[in-house]
């Protein structure tokens, strides 16, 4: 601590101090930050393998030979800084000048939000570059820009081309580069304006050589200017850029929330410069970093950040959209720059609040990542899709009412009670969901612990949880399927084969035998046909059906009714639902294991699933046969967003969801599920071999009942929840609040009105005001889908499976595809293969929204969607795209970053 005390004494006297020290303890880091004025913490991080390679004192070699112990990083855990201001990876790639610049930028404040800094960065008396047409802006920047090159150009307007075509061609051919391959580009007057970019609307033609080809290309560009007098519109010609190593689009604000981020979409595989903007790059990468804390930047992207910062300064604008390319020789080229168009009606972004919130998230992650005395696992990981999957159920950025309801009904305690009841580790005091300034994340370490059988040896449980965590970190794309691909939570017929993976990771035969036995016993208790836990949960759900009318019809006030609807919903709804969801998962896994062991083929699996009598299949039949009023009486409580008060119930907007004029009886053509004699004998033998306490018929009954029971329980408990949301809406209206206002309520404030006296209106309005304030910060924050370290909060690559939601709009509409006729896509959500600018015509056909399989956040179609305030998903990926396209109707909620299949 002596170094810190000396630094504080000197700093208090106005001195600038640089102290290089081996600082090993979190207590020292915290004391420094709390006591030293203007303290900045620089963490020089060196990989362990690099330390071993250097080994200047021979300590690591001695440890490897068994001659030395108590080596930090080997025997003694190192207490790495929890939230350093700058991280420098001092491996072989670190450039000293670059490292010094990063430190000075941070310490001097140059890395802060540029909205005010840009103005001071422009030298006194210097002329700010004004945006013009695409070609004019590039021409104005060319003599001033230092961080990138701008290709030469020949520019002309349509009137000049029509009046002197030979002269224009002569200007092109006489240029030093005019005889090679060229690109003919659009530069219309209305293109790239501050209010509308018209990105991708006009044509550009690449790979042009010779006068005839140039003339043809120019005519194609001019032809795309149809619909207005284009005499003043421009065309410009540049040399083609060959041997491209990387190309892409970058923006200096996050386009959807306006947050202070650098966002870089790039393609470093294809060797082409047009695939990112066209939305056809399948190997698209997206890198995002907070502008005020731009550390952890990959070396190959640093020149792009330098370009963005210089352009912000030259243009005196902190919201710009840039197209760039890099040659094989490393030279960076600026291809286009324009104002970034985003929603001007949204609350103004607060860069300081976003930076502060992000730092607080990083600190929270650091605190939660430490070892915990009641948890197995050396570290924590947080994800939006594992376990109770908030990304799917409430969205990535839910309104406060939806988030707090989900926590109250499921993730605060109900989830843990259910798993303890079912024989897993008791975690009843642990919340499963963490709210990082309103963004919901599952604590994956807690989740992994909750799947450890209660009686497992502590040392084995510790190693198993660490194995799960390391496997997820090694394969982060599995974050949405951890229970299928990573953990072992129940016994199935293929479990012995799946457990072989543990042998390769240091687990002994004894360890695997213990895991096998514990999972077998636990599974038998859950699925037992006579007294299995799932049967008791199924009976509890029926109690909720009995109790609901009593609350609904009781002569109690609306606040009391909301309170008791939610209390009953927890005890008799979500608690047994959580158990039936576990049974449903085991049933699904068991069915899949019948395929894995060769008992069933895929068609047999499909036949079994089509034979199920779920709520969903019943809705389809009832829609065809019941009168409208009768159908809505049975299913009217359902709403696409189960926890979202803004999502209308079926009975509130029946014509939004259903076309009552085209109903017809559904007739299934799927084959019935039947087992042959040989299959029956094989299943009987496998059950005996594996020690499963079921005969064949009871096993089939369990699998069927487990899957159907899960769907039924959700159908029942959502009625109580939906009725509670309707009552909250009514209470809000009675006290001057709109439904939109009510979406910002915290359910804890609503529940407290039951047990406390005071002004209902004042309490609700205060809750709404606080919810809006907090959510305004939430909507600006961008985090990765998997948080594994505090650094991830500041800079990260998005996984390729993470879709890009454009605008904050929400729409529910039928699905159409590009194969449908133009007349058929009106008022639909259109599914398009890519974000190609050639699809710009769709915006004239009255579509309600669209989804692309490929594309990035900065593609032409993403920009157009932002400008038109049209909800869209860009780059959904193959899985989501195929899944959503099969639905008859979807709810596309970009505000919550969620897509829900309606029918």
């Amino acid at each position: 601590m002596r170094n810190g005390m000396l630094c504080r004494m000197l700093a208090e006297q106005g001195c600038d101090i640089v102290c290089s020290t081996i600082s090993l303890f979190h207590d020292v880091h915290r004391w420094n930050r709390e006591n030293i004025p203007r303290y900045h913490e620089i963490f020089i991080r060196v990989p362990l393998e690099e330390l071993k390679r250097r080994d200047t004192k021979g300590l690591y070699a001695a440890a490897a030979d068994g001659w030395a112990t108590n080596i930090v990083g080997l025997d003694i855990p190192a207490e790495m800084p929890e939230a350093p201001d700058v991280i420098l990876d001092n491996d072989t790639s670190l450039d000293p000048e670059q490292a010094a610049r990063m430190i000075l930028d941070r310490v001097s404040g140059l890395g802060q939000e540029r909205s005010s800094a840009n103005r001071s960065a422009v030298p006194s008396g210097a002329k700010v570059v004004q945006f013009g047409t695409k070609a004019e802006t590039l021409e104005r920047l060319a003599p001033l820009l230092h961080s990138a090159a701008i290709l030469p150009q020949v520019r002309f307007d349509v009137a000049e081309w029509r009046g002197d075509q030979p002269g224009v061609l002569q200007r092109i051919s006489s240029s030093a580069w005019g005889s090679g391959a060229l690109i003919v580009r659009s530069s219309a007057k209305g293109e790239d304006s501050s209010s509308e970019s018209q990105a991708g609307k006009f044509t550009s033609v690449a790979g042009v050589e010779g006068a005839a080809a140039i003339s043809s290309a120019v005519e194609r560009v001019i032809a795309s200017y149809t619909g207005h007098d284009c005499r003043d519109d421009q065309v410009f010609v540049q040399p083609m850029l060959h041997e491209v190593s990387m190309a892409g689009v970058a923006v200096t604000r996050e386009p959807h929330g306006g947050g202070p981020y650098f966002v870089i979409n790039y393609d470093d595989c294809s060797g082409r410069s047009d695939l990112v903007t066209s939305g056809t790059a399948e190997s698209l990468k997206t890198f995002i970093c907070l502008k005020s804390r731009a550390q952890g930047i990959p070396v190959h992207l640093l020149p792009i950040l330098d370009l963005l910062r210089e352009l912000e300064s030259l243009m005196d604008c902190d919201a710009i959209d840039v197209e760039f390319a890099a040659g094989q020789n490393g030279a960076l080229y600026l291809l286009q720059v324009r104002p970034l168009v985003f929603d001007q009606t949204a609350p103004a972004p607060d860069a300081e609040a976003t930076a502060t919130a992000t730092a607080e998230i990083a600190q929270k992650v650091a605190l939660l990542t430490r070892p915990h005395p009641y948890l197995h696992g050396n570290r924590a990981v947080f994800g939006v899709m594992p376990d109770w999957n908030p990304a799917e159920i409430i969205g990535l950025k839910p309104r406060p009412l939806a988030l707090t309801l989900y926590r109250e009904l499921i993730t605060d305690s109900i989830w843990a009670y259910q798993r303890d009841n079912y024989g897993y580790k008791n975690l009843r005091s642990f919340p499963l969901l963490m709210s990082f300034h309103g963004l919901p994340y599952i604590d994956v370490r807690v989740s992994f612990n909750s799947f450890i059988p209660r009686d497992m040896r502590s040392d084995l449980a510790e190693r198993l949880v660490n194995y799960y965590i390391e496997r997820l970190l090694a394969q982060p794309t599995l974050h949405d399927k951890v229970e299928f691909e990573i953990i072992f939570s129940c016994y199935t017929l293929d479990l012995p084969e799946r457990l072989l993976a543990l042998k390769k990771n240091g687990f002994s035969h004894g360890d695997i035998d213990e895991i096998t036995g514990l999972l077998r016993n636990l599974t038998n208790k859950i699925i037992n046909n006579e007294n299995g836990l799932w049967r008791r949960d199924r009976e509890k759900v029926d109690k909720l059906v009995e109790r609901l009318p009593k609350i609904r019809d009781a002569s109690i006030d609306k606040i009391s009714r909301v309170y008791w609807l939610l209390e009953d919903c927890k005890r008799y709804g979500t608690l047994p639902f959580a158990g039936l969801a576990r049974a449903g998962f085991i049933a699904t896994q068991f069915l899949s294991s019948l395929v894995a062991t060769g008992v069933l083929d895929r068609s047999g699996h499909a036949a079994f699933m089509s034979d199920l009598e779920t709520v969903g299949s019943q809705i389809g039949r009832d829609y065809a046969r019941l009168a409208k009023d009768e159908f809505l009486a049975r299913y009217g409580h359902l709403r696409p967003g189960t926890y979202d008060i803004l999502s209308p119930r079926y009975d509130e907007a029946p014509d939004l969801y259903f076309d009552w004029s085209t109903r017809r009886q559904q007739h299934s053509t799927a084959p019935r599920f039947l087992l042959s004699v040989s299959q029956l004998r094989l299943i009987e033998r496998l059950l005996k071999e594996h020690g499963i306490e079921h005969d064949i018929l009871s096993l089939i009954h369990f699998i069927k009942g487990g899957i159907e029971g899960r769907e039924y329980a959700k159908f029942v408990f959502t009625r109580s929840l939906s009725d509670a949301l309707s009552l909250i809406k009514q209470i809000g209206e009675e006290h001057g609040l709109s439904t939109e206002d009510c979406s910002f309520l915290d359910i804890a404030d609503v529940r407290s009105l039951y047990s406390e006296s005071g002004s209902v209106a004042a309490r609700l309005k205060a809750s709404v005001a606080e919810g809006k304030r907090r959510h305004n910060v939430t909507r600006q924050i961008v985090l990765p889908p998997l948080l594994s370290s505090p650094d991830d909060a500041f800079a990260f690559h998005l996984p390729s499976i993470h879709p890009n939601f454009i605008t904050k709009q929400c729409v529910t509409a039928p699905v159409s595809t590009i194969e449908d006729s133009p007349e058929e896509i009106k008022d639909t959500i259109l599914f398009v293969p890519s974000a190609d600018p050639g699809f710009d015509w769709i915006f004239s056909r009255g579509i309600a929204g669209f989804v692309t399989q490929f594309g990035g956040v900065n593609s032409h179609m993403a920009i157009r969607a932002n400008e038109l305030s049209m909800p869209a998903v860009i780059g959904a990926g193959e899985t989501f795209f195929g899944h959503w396209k099969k639905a008859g109707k979807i709810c596309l909620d970009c505000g919550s970053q969620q897509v829900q299949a309606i029918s």
Side-chain angles (χ1 to χ4, degrees):
M1 200 75 80
R2 287 180 298 175
N3 289 334
M5 292 179 177
L6 177 60
C7 289
R8 180 176 68 172
M9 181 184 73
L10 293 172
E12 288 174 344
Q13 297 175 41
C15 298
D16 293 325
I17 310 104
V18 177
C19 181
S20 176
T21 178
I22 300 175
S23 185
L24 297 178
F25 305 107
H26 288 150
D27 289 343
V28 175
H29 305 157
R30 293 192 200 104
W31 189 93
N32 290 344
R33 193 172 291 282
E34 293 169 3
N35 292 279
I36 300 175
R38 302 179 304 282
Y39 175 76
H40 296 277
E41 189 171 279
I42 316 300
F43 177 29
I44 301 179
R45 181 168 59 187
V46 184
L48 183 59
E49 292 305 314
E50 178 63 17
L51 291 173
K52 291 179 180 179
R53 188 188 67 78
R54 297 174 186 173
D55 202 13
T56 54
K57 298 182 179 179
L59 293 175
Y60 294 101
D65 294 335
W67 296 103
T69 58
N70 296 328
I71 305 298
V72 174
L74 297 180
D75 311 296
I76 303 172
E79 294 189 12
M80 302 299 182
E82 295 170 318
D85 296 286
V86 179
I87 299 174
L88 300 175
D89 285 311
N90 188 19
D91 52 19
T92 55
S93 65
L94 182 67
D95 176 64
E97 291 186 4
Q98 171 197 325
R101 186 175 70 245
M102 291 173 65
I103 294 172
L104 289 172
D105 279 356
R106 177 60 181 167
V107 172
S108 64
L110 291 179
Q112 296 299 320
E113 167 65 13
R114 309 291 291 205
S115 59
S116 59
N118 280 336
R119 289 164 175 76
S120 61
V122 179
S124 177
K127 184 178 180 181
V128 172
V129 176
Q130 299 295 323
F131 286 103
T133 64
K134 184 190 303 182
E136 289 168 349
T137 303
L138 290 174
E139 186 178 65
R140 293 166 186 172
L141 285 168
L144 304 174
L145 192 66
H146 298 290
S147 54
I150 295 177
L151 294 168
Q153 61 169 274
V154 171
R155 184 179 78 248
F156 49 92
D157 58 31
V158 174
E160 182 181 1
W161 174 257
R162 295 289 184 233
D164 186 17
Q165 182 173 328
V168 173
L169 291 173
Q170 175 61 30
R171 285 169 54 198
I172 296 170
S173 63
S174 63
S175 65
W177 41 270
S179 60
L182 308 175
I183 181 168
V184 181
R185 305 179 65 188
S186 66
S187 185
K189 288 291 186 182
E191 196 173 1
D192 296 349
S193 71
S194 59
S195 60
E196 183 182 28
S197 76
Q198 300 192 60
K201 182 175 182 179
F202 305 120
T203 298
S204 291
V205 184
V208 178
E209 292 189 62
I214 293 172
S215 296
S216 175
V218 171
E219 291 296 340
R220 286 178 59 190
V221 173
I222 294 174
S224 67
Y225 296 158
T226 56
H228 65 280
D229 183 359
C230 65
R231 287 174 297 176
D232 293 332
D233 287 332
Q234 299 167 350
V235 179
F236 69 117
V237 182
Q238 291 179 294
M240 278 289 292
L241 187 60
H242 297 289
E243 297 183 348
V244 173
S245 65
M246 176 175 62
V249 178
V251 294
T252 60
R253 278 191 182 274
E254 197 278 319
H256 317 312
Y261 292 87
F262 291 126
V263 182
I264 305 173
N265 288 144
Y266 66 99
D267 164 27
D268 57 1
C269 297
S270 71
R272 293 177 56 180
S273 63
D274 62 332
L275 294 188
V276 174
T277 55
S278 69
T280 56
E282 295 190 31
S283 56
L284 180 71
K285 298 179 177 67
T286 300
F287 179 77
I288 301 174
C289 69
L290 189 67
K291 293 169 73 172
S292 63
R293 193 152 173 172
Q295 285 84 46
I297 313 299
V299 173
H300 68 291
L301 297 181
L302 283 170
I304 300 166
L305 263 65
D306 289 339
L307 171 62
L308 296 176
R309 290 190 177 104
E310 186 181 5
L311 288 170
E312 282 186 316
S313 177
L314 289 170
M315 314 296 294
D316 193 21
C317 178
D318 70 346
I320 57 175
D321 179 352
V322 172
E323 292 183 22
F324 64 88
Q328 294 289 351
N329 60 357
L332 184 63
Y333 295 88
L334 174 64
L335 304 181
Q336 185 170 342
V337 58
R338 57 189 167 213
L340 177 65
V341 180
F342 54 88
D343 185 5
Q344 301 294 335
T345 64
D350 186 334
E352 184 177 352
T354 304
T356 299
T358 306
E360 291 168 350
I361 290 170
Q363 291 169 359
K364 188 65 175 177
V365 170
L367 292 172
L368 293 172
T369 300
R370 298 176 184 175
H372 192 286
Y374 301 139
L375 288 175
H376 300 296
N378 295 332
R379 59 180 299 180
V381 181
F382 305 91
V384 298
M385 296 189 76
D387 208 330
W388 278 94
N389 197 337
E392 178 185 354
I393 300 171
I394 56 174
L396 297 176
K397 296 183 179 181
R399 296 287 179 92
L401 181 59
L403 174 61
T404 55
L405 269 171
Y406 191 53
R407 296 175 69 178
E408 174 72 21
L409 294 180
I410 301 284
T411 65
D412 276 355
S413 59
I414 291 296
W415 78 279
Y417 273 67
Q418 173 269 318
R419 292 203 182 148
D420 180 34
N421 290 342
Y422 270 50
Y424 296 99
K425 180 177 172 65
N426 184 349
L427 295 171
R428 292 193 179 203
S429 297
F430 286 91
L432 180 64
L433 186 148
M434 298 292 156
S435 173
F436 294 136
H437 278 272
L439 282 74
Y441 276 76
I442 295 297
D443 187 331
V444 180
R445 176 172 58 174
V446 170
S447 171
F448 286 168
N449 272 262
S450 75
F451 290 116
I452 296 295
R454 183 183 298 137
D455 298 327
M456 184 176 288
R457 285 183 291 115
S458 180
D459 70 297
L460 176 56
E462 178 76 11
R463 287 184 285 125
L464 193 58
V465 171
N466 280 328
Y467 164 76
Y468 292 156
I469 291 172
E470 293 306 317
R471 176 100 189 276
L472 175 60
L473 293 176
Q475 295 180 272
T477 55
L478 298 179
H479 74 121
D480 59 337
K481 50 185 79 70
V482 292
E483 203 170 346
F484 294 94
E485 301 288 347
I486 293 180
I487 67 174
F488 309 105
S489 62
C490 64
Y491 194 94
T492 56
L493 299 178
D494 61 343
L495 180 67
E497 286 71 28
R498 293 193 295 122
L499 287 174
L500 293 176
L502 295 179
K503 275 188 174 181
K504 302 174 184 177
N505 289 274
F507 289 82
S508 68
H509 288 289
D511 293 335
I512 293 174
D513 287 344
E514 180 176 345
I515 295 169
T516 301
L518 289 171
L519 288 176
R520 180 189 292 114
N521 292 339
L522 181 149
T523 303
N524 276 327
K525 289 179 181 177
I526 294 172
I527 70 176
N528 185 279
N529 208 39
E530 297 298 325
N531 54 11
L533 296 168
W534 75 281
R535 286 192 166 278
R536 285 186 283 172
D537 281 333
R538 179 63 178 77
E539 293 167 1
K540 281 184 183 178
V541 174
D542 289 334
K543 287 187 179 180
L544 183 60
V545 176
E546 297 173 8
R547 293 172 66 91
L548 178 61
K550 296 178 181 179
I551 299 173
R552 187 177 57 210
D553 300 335
S555 57
I556 55 178
D557 62 280
K558 291 175 182 175
I559 291 172
S560 298
R561 192 171 291 126
V562 168
Y563 179 89
W564 285 108
L565 280 171
L566 295 179
E567 283 299 299
D568 270 13
C569 186
K570 286 190 292 185
R571 180 174 298 183
Y572 301 107
T574 56
L575 180 60
F577 166 68
L580 288 166
R582 176 105 303 265
F585 175 82
I586 295 172
T588 302
Q589 287 286 79
F590 237 100
L591 186 62
S592 296
S593 74
L594 291 175
V595 177
T597 53
V599 176
L600 297 177
D601 58 17
R602 290 294 174 188
S603 62
H605 182 281
F608 184 93
M609 296 301 293
S610 67
D611 260 4
L612 294 174
E613 294 289 334
T614 64
V615 171
S617 61
Q618 187 61 46
I619 287 177
R621 289 192 294 271
D622 285 348
Y623 172 62
R625 69 180 186 85
L626 296 180
K628 179 178 178 179
D629 290 346
E630 189 179 356
F631 177 84
L632 293 176
R634 185 172 298 182
Y635 300 108
H637 69 280
L638 296 175
R639 54 178 97 217
T642 302
Y643 297 82
D644 185 4
I645 198 170
L646 297 175
S647 180
R649 294 163 52 117
Y650 282 5
D651 56 12
E652 290 175 340
D655 296 333
L656 173 67
Y657 298 118
F658 302 102
D659 182 355
W660 305 97
S661 65
T662 60
R663 292 187 294 165
R664 58 179 179 272
Q665 189 68 42
Q666 296 177 332
H667 299 285
S668 175
T669 59
R672 297 301 304 272
F673 176 74
L674 297 171
L675 289 171
S676 67
V677 173
S678 60
Q679 286 175 312
L680 292 169
R681 288 173 178 168
L682 179 55
I683 295 173
E684 185 176 22
R685 177 172 63 80
L686 287 171
L687 293 178
K688 290 179 181 178
E689 289 177 0
H690 288 268
I692 301 301
E693 298 172 359
H694 263 297
D695 57 35
I696 299 171
L697 293 179
S698 66
L699 174 67
I700 299 299
H701 180 72
F702 161 71
I703 295 174
K704 181 177 170 65
I707 297 173
E708 292 173 351
R710 173 182 57 193
E711 300 305 310
Y712 174 72
K714 183 176 182 180
F715 174 75
V716 171
F717 92 74
T718 55
R719 185 181 291 276
S720 295
L721 172 56
S722 189
D723 286 354
L725 286 171
S726 295
L727 285 168
I728 291 171
K729 178 180 176 181
Q730 294 174 26
I731 294 168
E733 289 172 350
E734 291 170 2
H735 293 88
L737 298 175
S738 67
T739 308
E740 174 87 5
D741 290 332
C742 290
S743 70
F744 293 102
L745 287 166
D746 186 319
I747 195 59
D749 292 325
V750 179
R751 285 168 53 82
S752 69
L753 294 171
Y754 174 74
S755 56
E756 298 175 6
S757 60
S759 169
V760 173
R763 186 64 176 268
L764 292 178
K765 289 177 180 177
S767 183
V768 168
E770 176 64 10
K772 287 182 176 180
R773 184 193 68 79
R774 293 173 66 89
H775 193 68
N776 190 39
V777 177
T778 300
R779 60 185 293 274
Q780 294 182 53
I781 297 172
V782 182
L783 295 176
L786 204 65
L787 276 165
S788 58
S789 78
D791 298 344
D792 293 341
F794 301 108
F796 54 90
H797 270 94
L798 273 182
S800 57
I801 60 170
H802 188 73
N804 301 290
F805 289 85
I806 312 301
T807 78
K808 299 294 178 184
Q809 304 300 316
C810 178
V811 65
T812 298
V815 166
S816 66
T817 70
I818 205 68
E819 289 79 25
D820 296 326
S821 69
E823 293 75 22
E824 293 175 320
I825 70 172
K826 187 177 186 298
D827 298 326
T828 70
I829 295 174
L830 181 64
F831 277 66
V832 187
S834 67
D836 192 310
F839 287 114
D840 195 81
W841 61 268
I842 66 176
F843 300 119
S844 67
R845 306 305 304 190
I847 62 171
F850 66 95
V851 178
T852 75
Q853 182 170 351
F854 302 115
V857 67
N858 297 328
S859 65
H860 288 303
M861 297 281 271
I863 295 168
R864 293 288 281 143
N866 260 316
E867 292 168 358
L868 298 169
S869 294
M870 179 176 290
V873 176
I874 303 293
E878 182 178 359
T879 301
F880 284 143
F881 187 86
H883 174 65
W884 298 335
K885 189 168 72 169
K886 292 176 182 176
K889 182 180 287 187
I890 63 172
C891 173
L892 176 50
D893 186 350
C894 293
S896 294
Q897 300 198 6
Q898 187 179 22
V899 177
Q900 298 163 331
I902 304 297
S903 61

